[in-house]
Amino acid sequence: MPSNFSVELANLAAAVAPLRELFEHDTRRHEWLAFDVCGIHADFSRQRVDPDVFGALMSLVSDAGVAHKREQMFSGVAINSTENRAVQHVALRSSGSDDTKKDLARRSREAAIELARQIRENTEIDTVINIGIGGSDLGPQMVVRALRKFCNGPTVHFVSNIDPADLDSVIDTADPHRTIVVVSSKTFTTLETMENAARAREWMMSAGVEWSEHCVAVTSSCERAVEWGVKKEHCLEFFDWVGGRFSVSSVIGFAVMLAIGDEHFAEFLDGMHQMDRHFSDSPWERNLPVVHAALWYLNAAVHQYPTVAVIPYSHDLARLPAFLQQLVMESNGKGVTIDGQKVTHATSPVVWGESGTNSQHAFFQMIHQGTQVVPVEFISTVRPMGHDQHTHDLLIANLIAQSEALAAGSQGVSSHQDFPGNRPSSVLLLDELSPRCLGALVAMYEHSVAVQGWLLNVNSFDQFGVELGKDLAKKTAQSIAQGTPDESQTMTHPLMKWFLERRKNFS
Ligand code: F6P
């Protein structure tokens, strides 16, 4: 079991009254369970907590040493102990230059801003292709999509999948002479990214484009990028103390800068910085990332609800669930504690989701009446992001109605029409989908994930679980190239044999 697991908390949580009763007995519930922080209104009142459970959660936060760990994170201690690395993405958005990391971050950001300005001013460029995967794709992609209204630069496409169809879908219609390719890869070794980048290079060179003028690398290994053919002035550097999934505020956000310009990017960073300060300075019970994390921990580790549905009602936030899948699941989907002991309680929930209201007409049936309890996180904005107040009001009406229905339930005329209720959900309402509010939201999730990891007592900052598949893929690719199945891969050997025969008909 995670060593922080509290039996007292588990007992209190098991005995908590249904949400209907909690609301009847405490009409001021909304006051202590709602927060207004950095342009985000967070309403946690329909989570399954009473003052005792909430108090026990806050004690757990203290007992788990969150204050000390937060301090270590901000000051650059190597808290990613399995890789002996600091975890200091907060230094990327701090305006100070009082330490080396902040200074390095500032210098790399300035280089990126300068290059982004040149590209945005070049009227011959109308297309950018960001080639990257995981943290080198999901963050910037989600942000560019969310800040659609602020995009006034070249059209930015994101290519991540090694399926050639992904790159084809962009280059089939793009003009290589008017395109900049941004190869985003922390390691500059990732198979998908390097293969796609090589294909993009081939596409440009065969059209007679001076590749090195049209390619930018974003990486922590400029040496590899230069060796690969990127010119030094086009290498934007970030650092091993920035984890891939925590890197959107680094130069991995270069594609965002190209799309929205440096001033709006600065506002995005400022929103993150404001949330960083709130996280570092606020008492636990008024600290938005901490309370958010404690409630996710309660649902996943204590109630053992296996999943969380993240439902952005703002259509422009459609990629938020995908971004959060990596942030949460790659960070906390661990089976051993930070000291290497087996955990016996749930760690990361499965994060999934789709935009509302579409999801209401797809899977909300199960969320309301199915046998599994699925905590839901509803997210939207007060200001309409489209051009019509009336339909925006209908959007918010739907969001609020769903949260009410999940919590309150209702008795139908037959059991088929019964809604059990007592199903937890949170609502996050941003003032608007501006760079600043979005930055605050992203930083809130980053900190929540770190706190969840500290409560679970896992290392949220490594990801060894992706390595085995990567290694085997290399071997398997060799088998395909040689046309001989690898007999040591005993469980997939027959499938490979079948595939090698069958592909002869299609290649
Ligand atoms: O597959 C895991 C991973 O290492 C992620 O953590 C990372 O965001 C992604 O691959 C891409 O890595 P890179 O930026 O080095 O290409």
Side-chain angles (χ1 to χ4, degrees), residues 133-136 185-187 190 244-245 326 330 463 466 470:
I133 197 162
S136 300
S185 175
K186 182 173 169 183
T187 53
T190 303
R245 52 196 175 273
Q326 187 198 16
E330 197 171 84
Q463 58 283 319
V466 300
K470 280 188 195 171

Side-chain angles (χ1 to χ4, degrees), residues 9 11 83 88 120 122 151 161 170 200 238 260 277-278 286 310 319 324 341 346 349 374 402 437 454 461 464 469 490:
L9 169 63
N11 290 338
E83 297 180 307
Q88 232 182 334
R120 279 168 59 88
N122 183 346
C151 290
N161 200 322
V170 178
F238 70 114
I260 66 172
R277 291 184 53 181
H278 165 80
R286 297 311 301 159
V310 174
R319 293 298 290 164
L324 291 181
Q341 305 301 311
V374 179
Q402 292 297 329
C437 285
W454 294 330
F461 306 108
F464 293 110
T490 52

